[in-house]
């Protein structure tokens, strides 16, 4: 069609939604992948305003990293806290966050209990809904 000008546009919209039963099964399967990486627990705890503490339980780990949209997709090292827990504080201005974890240089895994998302490139992240204020 040499005589015309064409424009193609795409809009992708989404929002937080409750987990469906099949998503919960997928989250449990992802939790097995996280456990095989040494992750046995995951928490997002609101500290003040939009500041959250990411807590990861990985008792045998030497290093734990978190990566996601709230870190600008740059890995952030967590600090060993005690009793196998690791932590870092993040500013999360949205109701949901996409996160992945890495233990001791292994594969990036979806945090236990997070809803698994697959992007257009086949990458996997976990959607975490931020807890409400206390």
């Amino acid at each position: 069609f040499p005589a015309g000008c064409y424009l193609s546009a795409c809009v992708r919209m989404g929002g937080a939604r409750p987990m469906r039963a099949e998503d919960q099964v997928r989250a449990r399967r992802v939790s097995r992948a996280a456990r095989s990486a040494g992750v046995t627990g995951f928490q997002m705890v609101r500290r003040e305003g939009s500041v959250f503490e990411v807590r990861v339980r990985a008792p045998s780990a030497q290093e734990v990293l978190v990566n996601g949209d709230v870190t600008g997709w740059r890995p952030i090292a967590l600090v060993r806290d005690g009793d196998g827990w690791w932590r870092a504080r993040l500013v999360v201005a949205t109701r949901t966050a996409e996160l992945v974890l890495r233990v001791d240089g292994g594969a990036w895994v979806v945090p236990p209990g997070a809803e698994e998302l697959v992007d257009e490139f086949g990458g996997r992240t976990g959607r975490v809904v931020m807890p409400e204020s206390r």
Side-chain angles (χ1 to χ4, degrees), residues 4-83:
C5 294
Y6 298 93
L7 172 69
S8 178
C10 176
V11 176
R12 183 175 176 184
M13 298 175 71
R17 60 178 168 76
M19 284 182 97
R20 300 179 316 234
E22 57 268 23
D23 293 332
Q24 292 174 357
V25 170
R26 185 179 302 127
R28 283 193 293 272
R29 186 170 56 246
V30 171
S31 292
R32 279 195 296 271
R35 276 194 306 273
S36 71
V39 178
T40 59
F42 174 80
Q43 299 173 342
M44 291 292 290
V45 180
R46 182 184 295 271
R47 290 300 176 204
E48 51 206 40
S50 59
V51 176
F52 287 84
E53 187 172 85
V54 177
R55 294 178 38 88
V56 176
R57 189 159 197 282
S60 61
Q62 299 302 308
E63 177 187 57
V64 178
L65 302 174
V66 63
N67 195 1
D69 58 357
V70 295
T71 68
W73 295 105
R74 287 185 301 274
I76 302 291
L78 280 70
V79 176
R80 189 183 306 263
D81 194 19
D83 196 29

Side-chain angles (χ1 to χ4, degrees), residues 30 69 73 97-100 109-111 114-117 124-129:
V30 171
D69 58 357
W73 295 105
E98 291 185 29
L99 300 172
V100 287
V109 296
V110 174
E115 177 184 7
E116 179 184 350
L117 302 176
R124 298 180 189 289
T125 63
R127 179 184 300 162
V128 179
V129 177

Side-chain angles (χ1 to χ4, degrees), residues 86-111:
W86 295 74
R87 65 179 168 78
R89 289 197 177 204
L90 300 174
V91 175
V92 182
T94 58
R95 187 169 180 266
T96 63
E98 291 185 29
L99 300 172
V100 287
L101 305 172
R102 175 182 268 175
V103 177
D104 295 336
W108 290 102
V109 296
V110 174

